[in-house]
Amino acid sequence: MSITLNVQGMSCGHCESAVKGALGELEGVNGVDVDLGSGKVEVQYEEGKVTEAQMKEAIEEQGYDVA
Amino acid sequence: MSITLNVQGMSCGHCESAVKGALGELEGVNGVDVDLGSGKVEVQYEEGKVTEAQMKEAIEEQGYDVA
């Protein structure tokens, strides 16, 4: 499964690392691709192991908004 | 003593932390103030213990340009 989240406020490679790291720590997340320019974050995950709400929370805890 | 360096490419708080951290590790640097908007980085330092060249190198190693 994969989902694409629209994340606002990521401005540099450090931001990308912060978001990738936070998502990567969630059980059930297998991969994360970030496009800084568009703010699109594509998450590969195992259905039933992690929810979209958990992903959003992980991103928001890093200080970014999810549209 | 203090010097103000013009740093390009700092876009967020992570960038600020990277620059502050790198300068703070230099012996002879006593304080660092970063203004993200203008890119101005003011460094308080002890003369004779650290050079402007060392400060610039520390910043550039983090991936930012010093004008």
Side-chain angles (χ1 to χ4, degrees):
Chain A
M1 290 284 294
S2 85
I3 188 174
T4 299
L5 303 167
N6 290 296
V7 180
Q8 295 168 335
M10 294 185 300
S11 54
C12 73
H14 295 120
C15 297
E16 181 177 337
S17 298
V19 169
K20 271 191 178 177
L23 288 169
E25 281 177 12
L26 295 177
E27 203 191 327
V29 169
N30 297 322
V32 182
D33 281 307
V34 175
D35 184 287
L36 266 185
S38 65
K40 291 200 184 304
V41 176
E42 187 182 354
V43 185
Q44 279 83 42
Y45 66 101
E46 248 174 281
E47 212 179 348
K49 284 213 173 173
V50 60
T51 65
E52 184 178 340
Q54 287 172 310
M55 297 176 202
K56 286 186 177 178
E57 192 185 343
I59 294 170
E60 286 168 353
E61 275 174 0
Q62 295 299 313
Y64 305 97
D65 291 325
V66 181
Chain B
M1 292 283 293
S2 85
I3 188 174
T4 299
L5 304 166
N6 291 295
V7 180
Q8 296 168 335
M10 294 186 299
S11 55
C12 72
H14 295 119
C15 298
E16 182 177 335
S17 298
V19 169
K20 271 191 178 177
L23 289 168
E25 281 176 13
L26 295 177
E27 203 192 327
V29 169
N30 297 322
V32 183
D33 281 307
V34 175
D35 185 287
L36 267 184
S38 65
K40 290 200 184 304
V41 176
E42 187 182 353
V43 185
Q44 279 85 40
Y45 67 101
E46 248 174 281
E47 212 178 349
K49 284 213 171 172
V50 61
T51 65
E52 184 178 341
Q54 289 172 309
M55 296 176 202
K56 285 186 177 177
E57 193 186 342
I59 294 170
E60 287 168 354
E61 276 174 0
Q62 296 299 312
Y64 306 96
D65 291 325
V66 182

